[in-house]
Amino acid sequence: MATKLNLEGIQPADQKDITELKQKITDVQLGRIDEERFKHYRLTRGVYGQRQLGVQMFRTKIPFGRLTTEQLDALADASERYSTGNLHLTTRQNIQLHYVKLKDTPALWADLSRVGVTAMGACGNTIRNITASAKAGIHPDELFDVSPYVHALFEYFLRNPIAQEMGRKIKIAFSATNEDSAFAYFHDFGFIPRIKNGERGFKVLLGGGLGAQAMIAPTVYEFLPTYKVIPFVEASIRVFDRYGEREKRMKARLKFLLKKYTIAEFLELVEQETRALANASIEIEDSNNWQPTPPATLAEETSISIQNPTAYQLWRLTNVFEQKQKGYHGVQLKIRLGNLSASLARQLSGIVRKYAANELRLTINQGILLKYIPTDSLPAIYNALDALGLANPGFGSIVDVTACPGTDTCNLAVSNSTALANQLEQVLLENYAYWIGDKEVNIKISGCMNACGQHMAANIGFHGSSIKVGKQVLPAMQIVLGGGVDETGKGFIAEKIIKIPTKRTPIALTWLLDDYEEKELGGERFNDYVQRQGKMYFYNLLKELTTKDDLHSSDFWDWGQETIYKKEIGVGECAGVAFDMVTTILNDAKEKVELGRQALEEELFGDSVYLSYGAFVVAAKAILLGVDVKCNTHIGIIKDFDQHLVDTGLFDLEVPFAELVLQINQNQPEPAFAEQYWQQAAAFLEQVFAYREARLDGNKEVINAHYNA
């Protein structure tokens, strides 16, 4: 029996989301909707299939990683009630729960909604969680706090129809300063604060990305006023939605659209869309209300004794920094592999309530930042954290290894990342402990080339792979070097060097570090040393590790595994899913028309217009698939419908289809236009159904194509 759903104390919009998810689960179990179509739906609600059959990963959406202790406690409770009792902190400042039963996801979501945590848009082809520098608001060198701008963007696009069914996901990051600690340079949209003539704004980067074809985002604006940020993102997403690839998943990210069009051409399309927005400027409230209330210093805290002064001083050196608010400090927690037990999470909440402001920030290296700790409270909070094992030094240093879950849970992973991370950290602590204060070199590991562990942004990175040895397969790691951000804030993508058996990775790391120590030129930074030596130097340095002549049986066992390695890659769910029923595609168009009508009634005219637009395009795609025309992009669908159906006389329209549909970028979403456009979409859909009935004799038509319209 499914967990009883209690919606008491939940906002109406969240209630609707959760109730709909519960109904969809019932529908798919009863065969009312197709499993593949349901997969597309559940992904946009944070429900992601695991490597293990019958269980799901449930991903939350926590903008810029901002959490209260009440939210952390609720997440801890939910992890014990519905999951394994573990909170997994991600590189996108989210928290994930694993091994969740599908039937429990609505109740889990409901429990989190009561404290303001959502899962809407956490996965799928949506705007993913918007990340930001964890130090935003307290960074000594920031021009202003980016937090309110991140939150405004999050709220604006949450449930916004333009961002629910794109060709691929969109990732956005805000850095607090020029040092680009949020890695804006490899995001679809990156923002870095600027002030021009006393006015706040942002340097804007566009079209970056990691993965198999990593790209650095070019700068499209040196200064964009804050009131233009939301309109710019909205217009850009409308362009991406209409012109972006949808069938070829590996070419569907924004970075590839920026390769197809020049920046000037893309910005011209953005300008065309901007003219049709409801608001060409949107002011964002940026008051100081974003700063939490600092704690009081307790009298007894001034006489706290430290049992190990050396360890305390190392912790202060590597994990503590002085905020721009004088007298207060930020304390950074190194969470190994981003895994925090529910019990530890609750105890941490208690420490925060006593010694810090009631606001935690999840960090992009899978750690936690505590804020507003008074100077006199540092010894006391150190003792409290140390008692929980949360005062390990080296936050953000080479010993703070980032790793995605890899083959532990992910369908796409090729080899293990978490056990390897533990092994590398052990090697570092045993042989290079004196590096623990060095934050200029970091190590990141991904289980595959898709870069959830951000290996292409690491000074030393690894991603899972495999090597064929006769009839056997060897777990392997691809080594990449030279990624990250330099001292000026310039971003670099790591370069692939060589692939080696994964069990030899610790040896490779020691050879790299030893060579750097021997040959760096008097304080030369690691990435400068990498660039000076060049790819072939490192290939030759590590080539000996690729030999297959002296393999041992243990080499065929992946890290942390108890059986011989077997390459098992499932179907990833990061993007859209394959789908093939024209009838159901048309039903989706019908659903969009109905949702457009509801939006009209609620006076959400912009939402209604975009839903009507979606109905036009989806219905047209269904008919095009029926005559064997490929449907890669929205703009392609619009043009092809005219070419293959309207111009040939097969489908009768009073005006060209393009003229009908593209009214969307010629008109602002005023009530009269929204009503007219919806009526036109509804009439077009009726005509499409009539067309199909007249030609198919009632037979269901199956098309092997990706349903991503």
Side-chain angles (χ1 to χ4, degrees):
M1 180 180 295
T3 305
K4 185 177 179 181
L5 192 58
N6 176 12
L7 297 177
E8 184 178 351
I10 298 175
Q11 294 295 320
D14 294 318
Q15 287 189 23
K16 183 178 179 181
D17 292 339
I18 296 163
T19 302
E20 185 179 71
L21 175 60
K22 182 177 175 63
Q23 184 59 53
K24 294 285 188 182
I25 292 172
T26 299
D27 289 345
V28 75
Q29 290 173 340
L30 295 178
R32 295 171 184 160
I33 58 175
D34 186 90
E35 174 66 39
E36 290 299 294
R37 189 70 186 110
F38 173 69
K39 184 187 294 185
H40 171 85
Y41 170 85
R42 66 169 165 77
L43 283 171
T44 60
R45 275 73 180 170
V47 183
Y48 190 103
Q50 281 189 199
R51 195 179 189 92
Q52 297 79 10
L53 294 176
V55 290
Q56 314 290 321
M57 177 266 284
F58 187 86
R59 178 182 291 158
T60 58
K61 194 173 188 179
I62 303 169
F64 56 101
R66 182 178 185 242
L67 279 176
T68 64
T69 55
E70 292 77 16
Q71 290 171 327
L72 184 60
D73 288 342
L75 284 157
D77 293 344
S79 72
E80 289 184 332
R81 186 174 299 119
Y82 305 106
S83 178
T84 61
N86 181 67
L87 307 179
H88 179 69
L89 283 57
T90 78
T91 56
R92 294 213 60 77
Q93 297 175 297
N94 278 323
I95 289 179
Q96 296 175 174
L97 307 182
H98 293 94
Y99 296 94
V100 177
K101 295 177 180 178
L102 179 62
K103 67 181 179 64
D104 288 339
T105 55
L108 166 54
W109 191 353
D111 287 353
L112 298 180
S113 289
R114 290 188 184 87
V115 292
V117 176
T118 188
M120 193 69 182
C123 303
N125 298 333
T126 63
I127 295 179
R128 298 293 186 86
N129 196 41
I130 304 177
T131 58
S133 301
K135 294 180 182 180
I138 62 174
H139 197 298
D141 299 325
E142 68 184 11
L143 296 176
F144 54 85
D145 185 4
V146 302
S147 301
Y149 305 98
V150 183
H151 190 75
L153 209 62
F154 160 75
E155 285 197 322
Y156 187 85
F157 289 106
L158 183 69
R159 304 184 184 91
N160 193 315
I162 77 165
Q164 303 309 309
E165 294 182 341
M166 297 179 291
R168 280 299 302 272
K169 58 194 171 187
I170 287 288
K171 294 183 176 180
I172 302 174
F174 284 72
S175 278
T177 68
N178 278 337
E179 68 185 3
D180 197 9
S181 60
F183 294 140
Y185 78 95
F186 68 64
H187 281 74
D188 295 292
F189 294 86
F191 296 92
I192 300 174
R194 292 286 185 267
I195 292 180
K196 183 177 181 181
N197 298 325
E199 181 182 18
R200 291 184 177 187
F202 291 94
K203 175 182 178 180
V204 182
L205 311 175
L206 188 70
L210 294 181
Q213 297 186 54
M215 298 181 193
I216 293 176
T219 299
V220 293
Y221 291 109
E222 286 292 344
F223 181 84
L224 184 72
T226 57
Y227 60 83
K228 289 189 176 181
V229 167
I230 291 177
F232 171 72
V233 174
E234 180 176 8
S236 298
I237 288 175
R238 286 164 67 120
V239 172
F240 173 60
D241 197 36
R242 187 162 304 130
Y243 291 85
E245 174 66 45
R246 287 175 175 268
E247 184 175 343
K248 299 173 185 175
R249 169 180 168 177
M250 301 304 293
K251 297 288 186 181
R253 293 293 299 272
L254 180 62
K255 60 187 178 183
F256 295 107
L257 191 60
L258 265 292
K259 289 186 72 175
K260 182 177 180 181
Y261 294 95
T262 66
I263 291 176
E265 290 170 340
F266 184 87
L267 292 180
E268 174 57 32
L269 293 172
V270 170
E271 179 59 30
Q272 291 176 19
E273 293 296 328
T274 302
R275 291 195 290 266
L277 298 181
N279 299 291
S281 66
I282 297 178
E283 296 288 349
I284 297 173
E285 173 61 42
D286 56 5
S287 68
N288 290 325
N289 295 335
W290 284 92
Q291 291 306 312
T293 302
T297 304
L298 302 180
E300 62 268 23
E301 292 171 14
T302 59
S303 58
I304 294 291
S305 62
I306 300 295
Q307 291 187 346
N308 188 337
T310 301
Y312 172 70
Q313 290 303 324
L314 182 59
W315 172 78
R316 283 205 60 168
L317 174 68
T318 62
N319 293 38
V320 180
F321 65 93
E322 187 175 0
Q323 297 181 190
K324 70 179 183 181
Q325 295 85 3
K326 298 301 180 184
Y328 294 104
H329 294 75
V331 170
Q332 300 164 118
L333 310 186
K334 179 174 170 283
I335 309 296
R336 178 176 286 184
L337 301 176
N339 291 323
L340 185 69
S341 72
S343 175
L344 273 180
R346 292 193 197 91
Q347 293 177 77
L348 176 59
S349 288
I351 292 173
V352 172
R353 292 186 183 104
K354 185 174 182 180
Y355 298 110
N358 187 11
E359 179 184 304
L360 308 88
R361 293 283 177 102
L362 307 179
T363 68
I364 62 171
N365 62 333
Q366 300 175 295
I368 297 175
L369 168 64
L370 312 183
K371 303 167 65 174
Y372 283 96
I373 294 90
T375 304
D376 291 342
S377 296
L378 287 173
I381 197 171
Y382 170 77
N383 284 342
L385 292 170
D386 191 41
L388 300 181
L390 295 177
N392 294 322
F395 177 91
S397 74
I398 193 171
V399 301
D400 192 2
V401 180
T402 298
C404 71
T407 54
D408 291 349
T409 57
C410 181
N411 269 322
L412 287 174
V414 183
S415 52
N416 187 278
S417 52
T418 55
L420 173 59
N422 285 331
Q423 186 69 26
L424 295 184
E425 185 173 332
Q426 181 179 337
V427 168
L428 290 165
L429 291 174
E430 289 177 356
N431 301 289
Y432 304 91
Y434 52 90
W435 278 50
I436 202 167
D438 189 334
K439 299 193 177 187
E440 291 185 5
V441 179
N442 56 68
I443 298 173
K444 298 179 184 291
I445 309 173
S446 301
C448 71
M449 66 177 66
N450 288 313
C452 292
Q454 300 180 341
H455 62 274
M456 295 299 284
N459 307 98
I460 302 173
F462 306 94
H463 81 69
S465 190
S466 62
I467 298 173
K468 195 76 180 291
V469 182
K471 294 184 179 180
Q472 291 182 288
V473 181
L474 196 69
M477 279 286 157
Q478 171 72 53
I479 299 176
V480 302
L481 298 175
V485 182
D486 70 11
E487 67 276 15
T488 69
K490 182 180 179 181
F492 292 87
I493 298 295
E495 188 168 22
K496 291 183 179 180
I497 304 298
I498 198 168
K499 180 163 61 174
I500 64 172
T502 191
K503 286 298 183 69
R504 296 173 181 171
T505 308
I507 299 173
L509 178 61
T510 60
W511 287 7
L512 286 167
L513 296 182
D514 289 349
D515 192 78
Y516 171 59
E517 289 185 330
E518 178 185 349
K519 297 179 180 177
E520 60 91 8
L521 302 177
E524 183 179 30
R525 292 174 180 269
F526 184 84
N527 276 10
D528 293 336
Y529 147 80
V530 169
Q531 291 178 26
R532 175 171 58 83
Q533 298 287 33
K535 176 178 179 176
M536 290 310 300
Y537 174 84
F538 294 103
Y539 176 85
N540 291 323
L541 176 68
L542 303 173
K543 185 177 179 180
E544 183 182 337
L545 297 177
T546 66
T547 180
K548 302 176 184 177
D549 296 335
D550 58 349
L551 291 171
H552 300 285
S553 58
S554 61
D555 291 323
F556 291 88
W557 293 53
D558 203 354
W559 292 106
Q561 304 304 305
E562 299 178 355
T563 57
I564 292 178
Y565 174 77
K566 183 179 179 182
K567 186 176 179 180
E568 296 177 330
I569 305 175
V571 178
E573 296 187 352
C574 293
V577 296
F579 202 67
D580 63 7
M581 302 295 291
V582 170
T583 299
T584 308
I585 295 175
L586 287 173
N587 284 338
D588 285 342
K590 187 176 181 180
E591 182 179 34
K592 290 182 186 299
V593 167
E594 173 58 23
L595 291 173
R597 183 191 64 78
Q598 293 177 17
L600 277 177
E601 291 181 351
E602 297 171 16
E603 298 185 354
L604 300 173
F605 302 115
D607 289 4
S608 177
V609 167
Y610 217 83
L611 288 162
S612 297
Y613 164 79
F616 274 122
V617 175
V618 171
K621 176 172 183 175
I623 298 303
L624 286 171
L625 291 175
V627 294
D628 201 26
V629 176
K630 290 185 177 181
C631 301
N632 291 35
T633 65
H634 276 191
I635 195 66
I637 291 170
I638 294 168
K639 292 178 179 179
D640 285 342
F641 195 84
D642 273 329
Q643 178 183 344
H644 294 281
L645 290 150
V646 178
D647 294 347
T648 59
L650 293 175
F651 197 99
D652 184 32
L653 286 177
E654 293 182 0
V655 297
F657 186 59
E659 182 179 330
L660 180 64
V661 178
L662 295 180
Q663 294 177 89
I664 190 173
N665 62 15
Q666 303 298 320
N667 296 272
Q668 292 186 338
E670 300 292 342
F673 172 68
E675 174 71 33
Q676 172 191 305
Y677 197 58
W678 176 82
Q679 289 179 355
Q680 290 170 332
F684 175 74
L685 184 59
E686 286 185 11
Q687 191 175 352
V688 164
F689 272 108
Y691 170 89
R692 186 163 184 268
E693 286 296 322
R695 284 160 176 77
L696 297 182
D697 296 325
N699 293 323
K700 185 178 292 185
E701 186 168 2
V702 179
I703 305 296
N704 290 318
H706 281 85
Y707 179 69
N708 285 322

